[in-house]
Amino acid sequence: MNIHVDETLGLFHLQSKDCSYIIQLVEGYPAHVYWGAQLHHDKNLASVLELRERCSFSPNPVPSNRTISLDTLPQEYPQYGTSDFRQPAYQAALADGTRITELKYSGYRIVQGKPKLEGLPAVYTESDDEATTLFLILEDQYSGLKTTLLYTVFANHSAIARSTLFEHKGSAIINIEQAMSASVDFADSNYQALYLSGAWVRERHIQRRDLGPGAIRLESRRGSSSHQMNPFLALLRPDATEDRGNVYGFSLVYSSNFVAQAEVEQFNQTRVSIGINPFDFSWRLEPDQSFQTPEAVLVFSEEGLGGMSRTYHRLYRTRLCRGAYRDKERPILVNNWEATYFDFDADKIEAIAKEAGPLGIELFVLDDGWFGKRDNDDNSLGDWFEDRRKLPGGLADLAKRVNEQGLQFGLWVEPEMVSPDSELYRKHPDWCLHAEGRRRTEGRSQLVLDLSRKEVCDYLYDTLSSVFSIAPITYVKWDMNRNMTEIASATASSERQKETAHRYMLGLYDLLERLTSRFPDILFESCSGGGGRFDPGMLYYMPQTWTSDDTDAIERLAIQYGTSIVYPASTMGAHVSSVPNHQVERLTSLAIRGDVAMSGNFGYELDLTVFTKEEKELAAKQIAQYKEIRSLVQQGDMYRLLSPFESRGDTAWMFVSEDQSEAFVAYFRVLAEPNGPIRRLTLKGLDSKKKYTIESGATGNTTDHGGNTLMEDGGSPFRAAFGGEIFGGDRLMKIGLVVSDLTGDFASSTFRLKAIPRR
């Protein structure tokens, strides 16, 4: 980790772990020279950038030097209106109605460590020797707009954090109409784009496509990061695989409207930019005011997608997530939603808890329906007081009854919403997002509270603080079940209405900061209809997210695999639900449902009171097994082995401890194949010089209430084939183990590896 500056050459060489990033000043414009594998610092790096005259249609900002054109120069923060016709990184409208600004270099400074971003989540450091930050300062002499590009390089991660600070040093109002967090120009277009797309209950499926002339644009205009697109984009060389090849990742630490795009221009250069979506956005800067963009985290890997993912995993797990649960094992829970929906009372909840305790479950979560008059989803959001019809003794009594079964008590809330049929709405009908005189669009019979308003956020802080203090609550599931419409605020001036979506997010971030600081011992889990707001911004406040409302084991293979491209397993909520599955009506065994869910933060979401004796025995074994591997899954390095997006849909992954002394492997076979070939699973991430023993999964012979036969020993053929044998790490990674002995559709196998101590 280092930042080398040669002021004579105008050269800035940033070295993060395993990567270099080079900037060079060309006539005052910061030009992008290189980003890739780490280079030794040398003054000859100043000769890398090649300039040449193109044609009169690429104008020259310096008339005496026709080799310089902003239309062809690779740039760090390109601008509109001064001869670059490609996608700009920012755009500002001045008081005279023009949109022409010209930012040029005016200085720099370097600080040890990483400064906080005001009001925004961001990657952090715990000591200044973990990172170094460059402030590259640009100014527009005409308007007084000062722009600082922030670059942080890390000692322990092959990553660079980028953001942009706008400051108004002039005398007339400026409107920022576009403000990217990062822009990078690549010298060619021989790349493929990889991104995560989907829909509700079908989130974060992997898409990979070639670049070509024109642009690929990924975005959300929904007021959240969305189910449809994740705020992430990667460029890969066409020959890059899971384990080899150059990969460049762009991840935005933000939870609202975003854009990530890759544009290939006339000379096959590629420009990638990521930041707040300029659609329906502007920010009014008065003299001496500033605007800070969210942070983009850029990761380079020479070890394919897997190397990129593990960099994001380690960085986000240890330096984005915060709080008491960052490094702590997450509890195994049972949630009553799919067991009861809104139809429950205190006795029913206690009955489920009584079944959960003996199985080894550690936490009971009371989901929707405990407040107001909430018998369905048509009413009561905003009325955060106990429904004494269902809970005569209130939350305190119910928590006590749950605690007596040996379980902690958790609670579901949806604070950002309000039902038109609620006491809160009748008292404050103007507190929701709305345009005066226009229809208010409902989704799930609810409206969105205007969190850009301080009084609304203060109300939520006071109300939720009271709720969280009623009982010994150790877990909160924070839901958000619709996207924004009529994005306008009753208290904003006409000039500032386009700020509403971003001000909403700043209000939410501030509210979460206040609540998580006041209740540091509560484990907060984010949710938005499942994975509609699974992004780094939310993980800064809540270290885990409900991955998807789709709990079908087979669908979850693709969802959890795709999610792992950026996000570690410790951030993924994963539960066993009942069959037929409530989303796709599929029948799967309790064994495979458990095996899939064990690759995240494990839990159950079904009615334990209807479990058979055999199912209870199997669930108890699953829970015991998960407790043995929990630290591996939640804190280990993940290696993807087989992709559900390829060929037969078979999926496999594994988790390896930091010292490579143990591993947990999960293999899932989707469809049976008659007289198929012998298939081997080759492992990854082990120490080739170590010897390992195999221990298989913990489940046994039984049949679940879906009528599916559960396979002996958790569906694992490994104990029978290899029990008692010792394998070298090199053998396991080069030759692998046979996995073709499974029978039936939707079969799974899990096993553990333990290194034999050297004598």
Side-chain angles (χ1 to χ4, degrees):
M1 173 196 68
N2 211 338
I3 296 178
H4 304 275
V5 179
D6 189 319
E7 296 189 44
T8 303
L9 297 173
L11 193 69
F12 299 83
H13 182 184
L14 291 67
Q15 294 176 319
S16 212
K17 180 181 182 290
D18 299 329
C19 80
S20 283
Y21 191 104
I22 302 174
I23 304 164
Q24 186 175 356
L25 299 176
V26 177
E27 295 292 343
Y29 302 105
H32 179 76
V33 177
Y34 174 83
W35 176 30
Q38 191 176 99
L39 304 174
H40 296 293
H41 182 62
D42 192 307
K43 289 187 177 183
N44 288 333
L45 293 173
S47 65
V48 172
L49 195 62
E50 184 173 341
L51 305 176
R52 64 177 63 180
E53 182 178 355
R54 291 295 187 176
C55 67
S56 61
F57 288 95
S58 294
N60 311 111
V62 182
S64 61
N65 187 350
R66 292 190 178 184
T67 68
I68 299 174
S69 172
L70 298 185
D71 195 32
T72 59
L73 184 71
Q75 296 171 68
E76 282 300 302
Y77 208 69
Q79 50 210 325
Y80 165 81
T82 57
S83 77
D84 188 348
F85 300 102
R86 297 167 290 173
Q87 182 67 38
Y90 81 99
Q91 189 173 359
L94 307 185
D96 61 6
T98 63
R99 286 88 57 216
I100 311 304
T101 55
E102 190 165 24
L103 294 173
K104 298 188 77 171
Y105 173 78
S106 68
Y108 77 94
R109 61 189 177 95
I110 296 174
V111 300
Q112 285 300 117
K114 185 177 187 294
K116 290 185 177 180
L117 300 187
E118 183 177 356
L120 287 165
V123 172
Y124 59 89
T125 57
E126 293 188 337
S127 64
D128 286 347
D129 61 0
E130 293 182 13
T132 306
T133 300
L134 168 69
F135 296 76
L136 197 62
I137 304 167
L138 314 176
E139 293 188 31
D140 175 48
Q141 294 299 322
Y142 177 82
S143 66
L145 181 63
K146 177 182 176 182
T147 303
T148 303
L149 309 182
L150 286 77
Y151 302 79
T152 297
V153 294
F154 300 91
N156 301 317
H157 307 280
S158 185
I160 297 171
R162 287 192 58 179
S163 67
T164 306
L165 174 66
F166 294 91
E167 298 174 276
H168 189 5
K169 301 300 183 182
S171 58
I173 290 171
I174 297 176
N175 281 301
I176 303 296
E177 297 185 337
Q178 179 169 306
M180 293 294 100
S181 299
S183 181
V184 177
D185 284 351
F186 292 83
D188 64 82
S189 62
N190 187 28
Y191 292 98
Q192 293 180 326
L194 184 142
Y195 53 96
L196 307 174
S197 71
W200 174 68
V201 301
R202 187 168 41 81
E203 298 91 341
R204 289 172 302 286
H205 283 210
I206 297 173
Q207 308 295 332
R208 183 169 176 171
R209 56 194 270 204
D210 292 338
L211 296 186
I216 292 176
R217 182 181 177 93
L218 318 173
E219 61 184 328
S220 172
R221 299 183 295 273
R222 297 170 175 268
S224 69
S225 50
S226 84
H227 298 85
Q228 288 70 25
M229 291 288 176
N230 199 260
F232 164 78
L233 170 66
L235 291 194
L236 309 80
R237 289 300 188 186
D239 61 352
T241 66
E242 178 68 23
D243 305 304
R244 293 178 296 279
N246 287 358
V247 179
Y248 301 83
F250 298 78
S251 174
L252 188 66
V253 187
Y254 192 55
S255 310
S256 188
N257 298 333
F258 74 91
V259 65
Q261 52 199 356
E263 178 186 28
V264 177
E265 49 87 85
Q266 59 186 325
F267 300 112
N268 286 330
Q269 295 182 120
T270 302
R271 174 168 291 172
V272 176
S273 54
I274 189 167
I276 295 175
N277 197 332
F279 175 84
D280 201 39
F281 166 83
S282 71
W283 195 271
R284 184 180 174 90
L285 273 187
E286 296 183 0
D288 297 321
Q289 291 185 340
S290 63
F291 177 78
Q292 172 67 56
T293 72
E295 181 169 271
V297 178
L298 282 56
V299 166
F300 170 74
S301 167
E302 287 187 288
E303 298 176 348
L305 276 169
M308 180 203 71
S309 296
R310 284 184 290 279
T311 296
Y312 276 122
H313 293 178
R314 294 168 192 146
L315 183 60
Y316 284 178
R317 187 176 66 237
T318 65
R319 292 298 182 268
L320 177 69
C321 296
R322 302 179 299 162
Y325 283 90
R326 186 191 75 178
D327 304 319
K328 191 175 180 181
E329 291 184 347
R330 313 287 169 79
I332 300 170
L333 64 83
V334 60
N335 181 300
N336 70 294
W337 178 241
E338 289 195 13
T340 67
Y341 293 104
F342 296 102
D343 185 17
F344 65 84
D345 56 23
D347 291 339
K348 175 61 177 177
I349 297 303
E350 184 180 18
I352 296 175
K354 282 183 177 179
E355 297 294 338
L359 298 179
I361 292 173
E362 299 157 326
L363 167 68
F364 183 94
V365 179
L366 179 64
D367 211 282
D368 195 355
W370 60 267
F371 55 92
K373 299 177 181 178
R374 186 80 164 170
D375 294 328
N376 52 54
D377 61 11
D378 291 340
N379 63 81
S380 296
L381 285 173
D383 297 343
W384 300 109
F385 51 83
E386 304 136 304
D387 182 353
R388 295 286 177 151
R389 299 170 305 150
K390 296 179 182 178
L391 308 175
L395 291 176
D397 173 69
L398 183 63
K400 181 175 180 293
R401 294 163 72 170
V402 167
N403 291 160
E404 288 174 349
Q405 307 307 318
L407 280 72
Q408 302 172 51
F409 182 70
L411 195 64
W412 177 98
V413 293
E414 192 174 1
E416 299 167 64
M417 301 293 149
V418 63
S419 302
D421 182 9
S422 67
E423 293 184 16
L424 179 64
Y425 186 79
R426 286 185 281 272
K427 185 177 181 180
H428 296 289
D430 67 318
W431 273 17
C432 65
L433 294 174
H434 70 282
E436 195 61 37
R438 264 61 59 85
R439 175 175 59 83
R440 302 182 181 189
T441 305
E442 295 181 19
R444 200 172 180 251
S445 302
Q446 58 196 56
L447 300 168
V448 183
L449 288 173
D450 183 0
L451 269 62
S452 72
R453 297 171 59 171
K454 186 177 184 302
E455 65 271 28
V456 176
C457 292
D458 288 345
Y459 165 80
L460 289 176
Y461 174 75
D462 292 339
T463 302
L464 294 170
S465 294
S466 297
V467 170
F468 299 161
S469 301
I470 289 174
I473 294 170
T474 62
Y475 166 101
V476 168
K477 182 178 180 180
W478 183 293
D479 213 342
M480 188 258 201
N481 278 312
R482 64 156 293 183
N483 294 139
M484 295 180 184
T485 55
E486 293 83 44
I487 302 179
S489 176
T491 58
S493 65
S494 59
E495 298 87 355
R496 292 190 178 275
Q497 287 294 344
K498 282 190 173 183
E499 299 176 6
T500 301
H502 184 61
R503 287 193 180 275
Y504 177 103
M505 196 50 56
L506 294 177
L508 174 61
Y509 287 153
D510 180 67
L511 175 62
L512 294 177
E513 183 68 34
R514 294 160 67 188
L515 285 170
T516 55
S517 297
R518 179 166 178 177
F519 298 96
D521 296 324
I522 290 180
L523 171 59
F524 285 85
E525 178 175 282
S526 172
C527 178
S528 178
R533 207 161 59 182
F534 202 132
D535 59 68
M538 295 307 293
L539 293 178
Y540 183 76
Y541 305 97
M542 306 182 185
Q544 62 189 57
T545 298
W546 179 227
T547 312
S548 176
D549 279 349
D550 190 340
T551 53
D552 172 63
I554 306 307
E555 289 296 310
R556 271 300 187 104
L557 293 176
I559 293 170
Q560 291 174 206
Y561 189 100
T563 302
S564 76
I565 292 292
V566 186
Y567 306 102
S570 63
T571 66
M572 298 186 218
H575 298 171
V576 176
S577 62
S578 61
V579 291
N581 176 262
H582 291 195
Q583 289 79 45
V584 299
E585 297 295 318
R586 182 180 281 122
L587 289 166
T588 54
S589 71
L590 182 57
I592 191 170
R593 282 178 277 152
D595 287 346
V596 173
M598 275 191 266
S599 295
N601 295 314
F602 187 55
Y604 293 82
E605 193 152 334
L606 39 68
D607 190 350
L608 296 173
T609 65
V610 301
F611 258 23
T612 65
K613 177 177 179 293
E614 292 79 9
E615 287 173 324
K616 290 177 183 178
E617 291 175 352
L618 178 54
K621 291 179 180 179
Q622 289 175 337
I623 291 164
Q625 179 186 4
Y626 186 71
K627 288 179 179 179
E628 292 179 358
I629 63 164
R630 176 162 44 185
S631 61
L632 260 180
V633 172
Q634 295 177 0
Q635 304 297 330
D637 286 329
M638 182 179 185
Y639 291 83
R640 295 181 293 265
L641 308 179
L642 294 174
S643 170
F645 299 101
E646 298 175 1
S647 62
R648 303 165 62 250
D650 286 7
T651 305
W653 48 57
M654 62 187 290
F655 301 90
V656 183
S657 63
E658 185 176 359
D659 63 2
Q660 300 173 296
S661 65
E662 57 179 324
F664 171 69
V665 183
Y667 169 72
F668 308 95
R669 208 271 307 286
V670 175
L671 295 177
E673 183 179 13
N675 198 23
I678 295 174
R679 300 183 187 276
R680 293 181 182 274
L681 185 68
T682 54
L683 308 186
K684 301 176 184 177
L686 303 175
D687 186 334
S688 62
K689 297 180 181 179
K690 288 183 178 179
K691 303 290 185 180
Y692 294 87
T693 60
I694 293 178
E695 298 180 5
S696 70
T699 54
N701 281 327
T702 187
T703 300
D704 70 6
H705 62 259
N708 296 282
T709 300
L710 307 180
M711 294 192 302
E712 184 178 0
D713 203 25
S716 176
F718 296 101
R719 176 175 292 174
F722 304 116
E725 290 192 46
I726 297 172
F727 297 93
D730 53 353
R731 192 266 203 208
L732 294 170
M733 293 190 289
K734 300 295 184 182
I735 299 176
L737 299 171
V738 173
V739 293
S740 53
D741 292 339
L742 299 179
T743 59
D745 293 342
F746 316 137
S748 63
S749 176
T750 66
F751 60 97
R752 294 175 67 192
L753 300 172
K754 287 191 175 181
I756 298 174
R758 292 173 181 166
R759 296 180 180 178

